[in-house]
Coordinates of all heavy atoms in Angstrom, one line a residue:
M1 N 99.1 82.0 76.2 CA 100.5 82.3 76.2 C 101.0 82.3 77.6 O 102.0 81.8 78.0 CB 100.7 83.6 75.5 CG 102.1 84.1 75.4 SD 102.2 85.4 74.3 CE 103.4 86.3 75.1
T2 N 100.2 83.0 78.5 CA 100.6 83.1 79.9 C 100.5 81.8 80.6 O 101.4 81.4 81.4 CB 99.8 84.2 80.7 OG1 99.9 85.4 80.0 CG2 100.3 84.4 82.1
A3 N 99.5 81.0 80.3 CA 99.3 79.7 80.9 C 100.5 78.8 80.5 O 100.9 78.0 81.3 CB 98.0 79.1 80.5
E4 N 100.9 78.9 79.3 CA 102.1 78.1 78.9 C 103.3 78.5 79.6 O 104.2 77.7 80.0 CB 102.2 78.2 77.4 CG 101.2 77.5 76.6 CD 101.3 77.8 75.1 OE1 102.4 78.3 74.7 OE2 100.4 77.5 74.4
A5 N 103.5 79.8 79.8 CA 104.7 80.3 80.5 C 104.7 79.9 81.9 O 105.8 79.6 82.5 CB 104.8 81.8 80.4
L6 N 103.6 79.7 82.5 CA 103.5 79.3 83.9 C 103.3 77.8 84.1 O 103.1 77.3 85.2 CB 102.3 80.0 84.6 CG 102.4 81.5 84.8 CD1 101.2 82.1 85.3 CD2 103.6 81.9 85.6
C7 N 103.4 77.0 83.0 CA 103.3 75.6 83.0 C 101.9 75.1 83.5 O 101.8 74.1 84.2 CB 104.4 74.9 83.8 SG 106.0 75.3 83.1
L8 N 100.8 75.8 83.1 CA 99.5 75.5 83.4 C 98.8 74.8 82.2 O 99.2 75.0 81.1 CB 98.7 76.7 83.8 CG 99.2 77.5 85.1 CD1 98.4 78.7 85.2 CD2 99.1 76.6 86.3
R9 N 97.9 74.0 82.5 CA 97.2 73.2 81.4 C 96.4 74.2 80.6 O 96.4 74.2 79.3 CB 96.3 72.2 82.0 CG 97.0 71.0 82.5 CD 96.1 69.9 83.0 NE 95.6 70.4 84.3 CZ 94.4 70.1 84.8 NH1 93.5 69.4 84.2 NH2 94.1 70.6 86.0
E10 N 95.7 75.1 81.2 CA 94.8 76.1 80.5 C 94.6 77.3 81.4 O 94.7 77.2 82.6 CB 93.5 75.4 80.1 CG 92.7 75.0 81.2 CD 91.4 74.3 80.8 OE1 91.3 73.8 79.7 OE2 90.5 74.2 81.6
P11 N 94.2 78.4 80.8 CA 93.9 79.6 81.6 C 92.6 79.3 82.4 O 91.7 78.5 82.0 CB 93.6 80.7 80.6 CG 94.1 80.2 79.3 CD 94.2 78.7 79.3
T12 N 92.5 80.0 83.5 CA 91.3 79.8 84.4 C 90.1 80.4 83.7 O 90.2 81.4 83.0 CB 91.4 80.4 85.8 OG1 91.8 81.8 85.6 CG2 92.5 79.7 86.5
R13 N 88.9 79.8 83.9 CA 87.7 80.3 83.2 C 87.2 81.6 83.9 O 86.6 82.5 83.3 CB 86.6 79.3 83.2 CG 87.0 78.1 82.4 CD 85.9 77.1 82.4 NE 86.4 75.9 81.6 CZ 85.8 74.7 81.7 NH1 84.8 74.5 82.5 NH2 86.3 73.8 80.9
N14 N 87.5 81.7 85.2 CA 87.0 82.8 86.0 C 88.2 83.4 86.7 O 89.0 82.8 87.4 CB 86.0 82.3 87.1 CG 85.4 83.5 87.8 OD1 85.7 84.7 87.6 ND2 84.4 83.2 88.7
S15 N 88.5 84.7 86.4 CA 89.7 85.4 86.9 C 89.6 85.5 88.4 O 90.7 85.6 89.1 CB 89.9 86.7 86.3 OG 88.8 87.6 86.6
I16 N 88.5 85.5 89.0 CA 88.4 85.6 90.5 C 89.0 84.4 91.1 O 89.6 84.5 92.2 CB 86.9 85.8 90.9 CG1 86.3 87.0 90.3 CG2 86.7 85.8 92.4 CD1 86.8 88.3 90.9
D17 N 88.8 83.2 90.5 CA 89.4 82.0 91.0 C 90.9 82.1 91.1 O 91.6 81.4 91.9 CB 89.0 80.8 90.2 CG 87.5 80.5 90.4 OD1 86.9 80.9 91.4 OD2 86.9 79.8 89.4
S18 N 91.5 82.8 90.2 CA 93.0 82.9 90.2 C 93.5 83.8 91.3 O 94.6 83.5 91.8 CB 93.4 83.6 88.8 OG 93.0 82.8 87.8
V19 N 92.8 84.8 91.7 CA 93.3 85.7 92.7 C 92.7 85.6 94.1 O 93.2 86.1 95.1 CB 93.2 87.2 92.2 CG1 94.1 87.4 91.0 CG2 91.8 87.6 91.9
S20 N 91.6 85.0 94.2 CA 90.9 84.9 95.5 C 91.5 84.0 96.5 O 91.2 84.0 97.7 CB 89.4 84.6 95.3 OG 89.3 83.2 94.8
D21 N 92.3 83.1 96.0 CA 92.9 82.1 97.0 C 94.0 82.7 97.8 O 94.5 82.1 98.8 CB 93.6 81.0 96.1 CG 92.6 80.1 95.5 OD1 91.5 80.1 96.0 OD2 92.9 79.4 94.6
H22 N 94.3 84.0 97.6 CA 95.3 84.7 98.4 C 94.7 85.4 99.7 O 95.4 86.0 100.4 CB 96.1 85.7 97.6 CG 96.8 85.1 96.5 ND1 97.9 84.2 96.7 CD2 96.6 85.2 95.2 CE1 98.3 83.8 95.5 NE2 97.6 84.3 94.6
D23 N 93.4 85.3 99.8 CA 92.7 85.9 101.0 C 93.2 85.4 102.3 O 93.3 86.1 103.3 CB 91.2 85.8 100.8 CG 90.6 86.6 99.7 OD1 91.3 87.6 99.3 OD2 89.5 86.4 99.3
F24 N 93.5 84.1 102.3 CA 93.9 83.5 103.6 C 95.2 84.1 104.0 O 95.4 84.2 105.3 CB 94.0 81.9 103.4 CG 95.2 81.5 102.7 CD1 96.4 81.2 103.3 CD2 95.2 81.4 101.3 CE1 97.5 80.8 102.6 CE2 96.3 81.0 100.6 CZ 97.5 80.7 101.2
A25 N 96.1 84.4 103.1 CA 97.4 85.0 103.5 C 97.2 86.4 104.1 O 97.8 86.8 105.0 CB 98.3 85.0 102.3
L26 N 96.3 87.1 103.4 CA 96.0 88.5 104.0 C 95.4 88.4 105.3 O 95.7 89.2 106.2 CB 95.1 89.2 103.0 CG 94.7 90.6 103.3 CD1 95.9 91.5 103.4 CD2 93.7 91.2 102.3
E27 N 94.4 87.5 105.5 CA 93.8 87.3 106.8 C 94.9 86.9 107.9 O 94.9 87.4 109.0 CB 92.7 86.3 106.8 CG 91.5 86.7 106.0 CD 90.8 87.9 106.8 OE1 90.7 87.9 108.0 OE2 90.2 88.7 106.1
F28 N 95.7 86.0 107.5 CA 96.8 85.5 108.5 C 97.7 86.7 108.9 O 98.0 86.9 110.1 CB 97.6 84.4 107.9 CG 98.7 83.9 108.7 CD1 98.5 83.1 109.8 CD2 100.0 84.3 108.4 CE1 99.5 82.7 110.6 CE2 101.1 83.8 109.2 CZ 100.8 83.1 110.3
L29 N 98.1 87.5 107.9 CA 99.0 88.6 108.2 C 98.3 89.7 109.0 O 98.9 90.3 109.9 CB 99.5 89.2 106.9 CG 100.5 88.3 106.1 CD1 100.8 89.0 104.8 CD2 101.8 88.1 106.9
S30 N 97.0 89.9 108.7 CA 96.2 90.8 109.5 C 96.1 90.4 111.0 O 96.2 91.3 111.9 CB 94.8 91.0 108.8 OG 94.0 91.9 109.6
I31 N 95.8 89.2 111.2 CA 95.7 88.7 112.5 C 97.0 88.7 113.3 O 97.1 89.1 114.4 CB 95.1 87.3 112.5 CG1 93.6 87.3 112.1 CG2 95.2 86.6 113.9 CD1 93.0 86.0 111.8
G32 N 98.1 88.4 112.6 CA 99.4 88.5 113.1 C 99.8 89.9 113.5 O 100.4 90.1 114.6
T33 N 99.5 90.9 112.7 CA 99.8 92.3 113.0 C 99.0 92.7 114.2 O 99.5 93.4 115.0 CB 99.4 93.1 111.7 OG1 100.2 92.7 110.6 CG2 99.7 94.6 112.0
L34 N 97.7 92.3 114.3 CA 96.9 92.7 115.4 C 97.4 92.1 116.7 O 97.4 92.8 117.7 CB 95.4 92.2 115.2 CG 94.4 92.7 116.1 CD1 94.3 94.2 116.1 CD2 93.1 92.1 115.8
C35 N 97.8 90.8 116.7 CA 98.4 90.2 117.9 C 99.7 90.9 118.3 O 99.9 91.2 119.5 CB 98.7 88.7 117.6 SG 97.2 87.7 117.5
A36 N 100.5 91.2 117.3 CA 101.8 92.0 117.6 C 101.5 93.3 118.2 O 102.2 93.8 119.2 CB 102.6 92.1 116.4
M37 N 100.5 94.0 117.8 CA 100.2 95.3 118.3 C 99.7 95.2 119.8 O 100.1 95.9 120.6 CB 99.1 96.0 117.5 CG 98.8 97.4 117.9 SD 97.6 98.2 116.8 CE 96.2 97.3 117.3
H38 N 98.9 94.2 120.0 CA 98.4 94.0 121.4 C 99.5 93.6 122.3 O 99.6 94.0 123.5 CB 97.2 93.0 121.4 CG 95.9 93.5 120.9 ND1 95.3 94.5 121.5 CD2 95.2 93.1 119.8 CE1 94.2 94.8 120.8 NE2 94.1 93.9 119.8
L39 N 100.4 92.7 121.9 CA 101.5 92.3 122.7 C 102.5 93.5 123.0 O 103.0 93.6 124.0 CB 102.3 91.2 122.0 CG 101.6 89.8 122.1 CD1 102.4 88.8 121.3 CD2 101.4 89.4 123.5
S40 N 102.6 94.4 122.0 CA 103.4 95.6 122.2 C 102.8 96.5 123.2 O 103.5 97.1 124.1 CB 103.6 96.3 120.9 OG 104.2 97.6 121.0
H41 N 101.5 96.7 123.2 CA 100.8 97.5 124.2 C 100.9 96.9 125.6 O 101.1 97.6 126.6 CB 99.4 97.7 123.8 CG 99.2 98.6 122.7 ND1 97.9 99.0 122.2 CD2 100.0 99.2 121.8 CE1 98.1 99.8 121.2 NE2 99.3 99.9 120.9
L42 N 100.8 95.6 125.7 CA 101.0 94.9 127.0 C 102.4 95.0 127.5 O 102.6 95.3 128.7 CB 100.7 93.4 126.8 CG 100.8 92.6 128.1 CD1 99.8 93.0 129.1 CD2 100.6 91.1 127.7
A43 N 103.4 94.9 126.6 CA 104.8 95.1 127.1 C 105.0 96.6 127.5 O 105.7 96.8 128.5 CB 105.8 94.8 125.9
E44 N 104.4 97.5 126.9 CA 104.5 98.9 127.3 C 103.9 99.1 128.7 O 104.4 99.8 129.5 CB 103.8 99.8 126.2 CG 103.9 101.3 126.5 CD 103.1 102.1 125.5 OE1 102.5 101.5 124.6 OE2 103.2 103.3 125.7
E45 N 102.8 98.5 128.9 CA 102.1 98.6 130.2 C 103.0 97.9 131.3 O 103.1 98.4 132.4 CB 100.7 97.9 130.2 CG 99.7 98.6 129.3 CD 99.3 99.9 129.9 OE1 99.2 100.1 131.1 OE2 99.0 100.9 129.1
I46 N 103.6 96.8 131.0 CA 104.5 96.1 132.0 C 105.6 97.0 132.3 O 106.0 97.1 133.5 CB 104.9 94.8 131.5 CG1 103.7 93.8 131.5 CG2 106.1 94.2 132.3 CD1 104.0 92.5 130.8
V47 N 106.2 97.7 131.4 CA 107.4 98.6 131.7 C 106.9 99.7 132.5 O 107.5 100.2 133.5 CB 108.0 99.1 130.3 CG1 108.9 100.2 130.6 CG2 108.7 98.0 129.6
L48 N 105.7 100.3 132.2 CA 105.1 101.4 133.0 C 104.8 100.9 134.4 O 105.1 101.6 135.4 CB 103.9 101.9 132.3 CG 103.2 103.1 133.0 CD1 104.1 104.3 132.9 CD2 101.9 103.4 132.3
W49 N 104.2 99.8 134.6 CA 103.8 99.3 135.9 C 105.0 99.0 136.8 O 104.9 99.1 138.0 CB 102.9 98.1 135.8 CG 101.6 98.3 135.2 CD1 100.9 99.5 135.1 CD2 100.8 97.3 134.6 NE1 99.8 99.3 134.4 CE2 99.6 97.9 134.1 CE3 100.9 95.9 134.4 CZ2 98.6 97.3 133.5 CZ3 99.9 95.3 133.7 CH2 98.7 95.9 133.3
S50 N 106.1 98.6 136.2 CA 107.3 98.3 137.0 C 108.3 99.4 137.1 O 109.4 99.3 137.7 CB 108.0 97.1 136.3 OG 108.5 97.4 135.1
S51 N 107.9 100.6 136.6 CA 108.8 101.8 136.7 C 108.8 102.3 138.2 O 108.0 101.9 139.0 CB 108.3 102.9 135.8 OG 107.1 103.4 136.3
T52 N 109.8 103.1 138.4 CA 109.9 103.7 139.8 C 108.8 104.6 140.2 O 108.6 104.8 141.4 CB 111.2 104.4 139.9 OG1 111.3 105.5 138.9 CG2 112.4 103.5 139.7
Q53 N 108.0 105.1 139.2 CA 106.9 106.0 139.6 C 105.7 105.2 140.1 O 104.9 105.7 140.9 CB 106.5 106.8 138.3 CG 107.6 107.7 137.8 CD 107.5 108.0 136.4 OE1 106.9 107.3 135.6 NE2 108.2 109.0 135.9
F54 N 105.5 104.0 139.6 CA 104.3 103.2 140.0 C 104.5 102.1 140.9 O 103.8 101.9 141.9 CB 103.6 102.7 138.7 CG 103.1 103.8 137.8 CD1 103.7 104.3 136.8 CD2 101.8 104.4 138.1 CE1 103.2 105.3 136.0 CE2 101.3 105.4 137.4 CZ 102.0 105.9 136.3
H55 N 105.5 101.2 140.7 CA 105.8 100.1 141.5 C 104.6 99.1 141.7 O 104.4 98.6 142.7 CB 106.3 100.5 142.9 CG 107.7 101.0 142.9 ND1 108.8 100.3 142.6 CD2 108.2 102.3 143.2 CE1 109.9 101.0 142.7 NE2 109.5 102.3 143.0
F56 N 103.8 99.0 140.6 CA 102.7 98.1 140.7 C 103.1 96.6 140.7 O 102.6 95.8 141.4 CB 101.7 98.3 139.6 CG 100.9 99.6 139.7 CD1 100.5 100.2 138.5 CD2 100.6 100.1 140.9 CE1 99.8 101.4 138.7 CE2 99.9 101.3 141.0 CZ 99.5 101.9 139.9
I57 N 104.2 96.3 139.9 CA 104.7 95.0 139.8 C 106.3 95.0 140.0 O 106.9 96.1 139.8 CB 104.3 94.3 138.5 CG1 104.9 95.1 137.3 CG2 102.9 94.1 138.4 CD1 104.7 94.3 136.0
H58 N 106.8 93.9 140.3 CA 108.3 93.8 140.4 C 108.7 92.6 139.7 O 108.3 91.5 139.9 CB 108.7 93.7 141.9 CG 110.2 93.5 142.0 ND1 111.1 94.5 141.6 CD2 110.9 92.5 142.5 CE1 112.3 94.0 141.9 NE2 112.2 92.8 142.4
L59 N 109.6 92.8 138.7 CA 110.1 91.7 137.9 C 111.5 91.3 138.5 O 112.3 92.1 138.9 CB 110.2 92.1 136.5 CG 108.9 92.4 135.8 CD1 109.2 92.9 134.4 CD2 108.0 91.3 135.8
S60 N 111.7 90.0 138.5 CA 113.0 89.5 139.0 C 114.1 89.8 138.1 O 114.0 90.3 137.0 CB 112.9 87.9 139.2 OG 112.8 87.3 138.0
D61 N 115.4 89.5 138.5 CA 116.5 89.7 137.7 C 116.7 88.8 136.5 O 117.5 89.0 135.7 CB 117.8 89.6 138.6 CG 117.9 90.8 139.6 OD1 117.3 91.8 139.3 OD2 118.6 90.6 140.6
A62 N 115.8 87.8 136.5 CA 115.8 86.9 135.3 C 115.4 87.7 134.0 O 115.7 87.2 132.9 CB 114.8 85.8 135.5
F63 N 114.8 88.8 134.2 CA 114.4 89.6 133.0 C 115.4 90.7 132.7 O 115.0 91.7 132.1 CB 113.0 90.2 133.2 CG 112.0 89.1 133.3 CD1 111.4 88.8 134.5 CD2 111.5 88.4 132.2 CE1 110.4 87.8 134.6 CE2 110.6 87.4 132.2 CZ 110.0 87.1 133.4
S64 N 116.6 90.7 133.2 CA 117.6 91.7 132.9 C 118.8 91.0 132.3 O 119.1 89.9 132.5 CB 118.0 92.4 134.2 OG 118.6 91.5 135.1
T65 N 119.4 91.8 131.4 CA 120.6 91.3 130.7 C 121.8 92.2 131.0 O 121.6 93.3 131.4 CB 120.4 91.2 129.2 OG1 120.0 92.5 128.7 CG2 119.2 90.3 128.9
N66 N 123.0 91.7 130.7 CA 124.2 92.5 130.8 C 124.4 93.3 129.5 O 124.2 92.8 128.4 CB 125.4 91.7 131.2 CG 125.3 91.1 132.5 OD1 124.6 91.6 133.4 ND2 125.9 90.0 132.7
S67 N 125.0 94.5 129.7 CA 125.3 95.3 128.5 C 126.6 94.8 128.0 O 127.5 94.4 128.7 CB 125.5 96.8 128.9 OG 126.0 97.5 127.9
S68 N 126.8 94.8 126.6 CA 128.0 94.4 126.0 C 129.1 95.4 126.2 O 130.3 95.1 126.2 CB 127.8 94.1 124.6 OG 127.4 95.3 123.9
I69 N 128.8 96.7 126.4 CA 129.8 97.7 126.6 C 130.2 97.7 128.0 O 131.4 97.8 128.3 CB 129.2 99.1 126.2 CG1 128.9 99.1 124.7 CG2 130.2 100.2 126.5 CD1 128.2 100.3 124.2
M70 N 129.2 97.6 128.9 CA 129.5 97.6 130.4 C 129.0 96.3 130.9 O 127.9 96.3 131.4 CB 128.9 98.8 131.0 CG 129.3 100.2 130.5 SD 128.7 101.6 131.3 CE 127.0 101.3 131.6
P71 N 129.8 95.3 131.0 CA 129.3 94.0 131.4 C 128.9 93.8 132.8 O 128.1 93.0 133.1 CB 130.5 93.0 131.1 CG 131.7 93.9 130.9 CD 131.2 95.2 130.6
Y72 N 129.3 94.8 133.7 CA 128.9 94.7 135.1 C 127.6 95.5 135.4 O 127.1 95.6 136.5 CB 130.0 95.1 136.0 CG 131.2 94.2 135.8 CD1 132.3 94.7 135.2 CD2 131.1 92.9 136.3 CE1 133.4 93.8 135.0 CE2 132.2 92.1 136.2 CZ 133.4 92.5 135.5 OH 134.4 91.7 135.4
H73 N 127.1 96.2 134.3 CA 125.9 97.0 134.5 C 124.7 96.2 133.9 O 124.6 95.9 132.8 CB 126.1 98.3 133.7 CG 124.9 99.2 133.9 ND1 123.9 99.3 132.9 CD2 124.5 100.1 134.8 CE1 123.0 100.1 133.2 NE2 123.3 100.7 134.4
A74 N 123.7 95.9 134.8 CA 122.5 95.1 134.3 C 121.5 96.1 133.8 O 121.1 97.1 134.3 CB 121.9 94.4 135.5
T75 N 121.1 95.8 132.6 CA 120.1 96.5 131.8 C 118.7 95.8 132.0 O 118.6 94.7 131.6 CB 120.4 96.7 130.4 OG1 121.7 97.3 130.3 CG2 119.5 97.6 129.6
Q76 N 117.7 96.5 132.4 CA 116.4 95.9 132.6 C 115.8 95.7 131.2 O 115.7 96.6 130.4 CB 115.5 96.8 133.4 CG 115.9 97.0 134.8 CD 115.9 95.6 135.6 OE1 115.0 94.8 135.3 NE2 116.8 95.4 136.5
E77 N 115.4 94.5 130.9 CA 114.8 94.1 129.6 C 113.4 93.7 129.9 O 112.9 92.6 129.6 CB 115.6 93.0 128.9 CG 116.9 93.5 128.5 CD 116.9 94.4 127.3 OE1 115.9 94.5 126.6 OE2 117.9 95.1 127.1
K78 N 112.6 94.5 130.6 CA 111.3 94.1 131.1 C 110.3 94.0 129.9 O 109.4 93.2 129.9 CB 110.8 95.2 132.0 CG 111.6 95.2 133.3 CD 111.1 96.3 134.2 CE 112.0 96.3 135.4 NZ 111.8 97.4 136.3
S79 N 110.6 94.7 128.8 CA 109.7 94.6 127.7 C 109.8 93.3 126.9 O 109.0 92.9 126.1 CB 109.8 95.8 126.8 OG 111.2 95.8 126.2
R80 N 110.9 92.6 127.2 CA 111.1 91.3 126.4 C 110.5 90.1 127.1 O 110.5 89.0 126.7 CB 112.6 91.0 126.3 CG 113.3 92.0 125.4 CD 114.7 91.5 125.1 NE 115.3 92.4 124.2 CZ 116.4 92.1 123.6 NH1 117.0 91.0 123.8 NH2 116.9 93.0 122.8
C81 N 109.8 90.3 128.2 CA 109.2 89.2 128.9 C 107.9 88.7 128.2 O 107.4 87.7 128.5 CB 108.9 89.6 130.4 SG 107.6 90.8 130.6
C82 N 107.4 89.5 127.4 CA 106.1 89.1 126.7 C 106.4 88.4 125.4 O 106.8 88.8 124.5 CB 105.3 90.3 126.4 SG 104.7 91.0 128.0

């Protein structure tokens, strides 16, 4: 009945075969999440290193944008460089 509703020829003989093909999607999402977390930590470090307390690095004005409320005030967007 379910196989007909899904337009399949017949039900699968092994139920593991029906659901195990989704492991690649879970692995892809897991790796993507891990990469995003590491990039977030790197961006946090860049903001900290370029702060007035540390001055370890200096980023050019190419990494700053104008505020839409105050167009003549440049807002540092250092975390967006990663």
Side-chain angles (χ1 to χ4, degrees):
M1 182 167 144
T2 305
E4 291 174 9
L6 294 174
C7 300
L8 300 173
R9 288 180 283 147
E10 61 183 21
T12 57
R13 294 181 184 163
N14 187 354
S15 62
I16 298 292
D17 292 337
S18 300
V19 295
S20 66
D21 289 340
H22 299 293
D23 290 342
F24 75 94
L26 181 63
E27 288 292 325
F28 178 75
L29 292 175
S30 174
I31 291 169
T33 303
L34 188 63
C35 288
M37 186 178 69
H38 285 299
L39 288 174
S40 172
H41 288 183
L42 180 63
E44 181 182 2
E45 292 291 326
I46 289 173
V47 169
L48 181 67
W49 293 340
S50 64
S51 67
T52 56
Q53 297 154 340
F54 291 98
H55 287 294
F56 290 149
I57 60 173
H58 175 64
L59 298 175
S60 69
D61 289 336
F63 296 105
S64 63
T65 59
N66 292 337
S67 173
S68 60
I69 296 174
M70 300 184 318
Y72 299 106
H73 181 262
T75 305
Q76 294 295 326
E77 295 289 341
K78 295 176 183 173
S79 62
R80 289 191 179 194
C81 67
C82 295

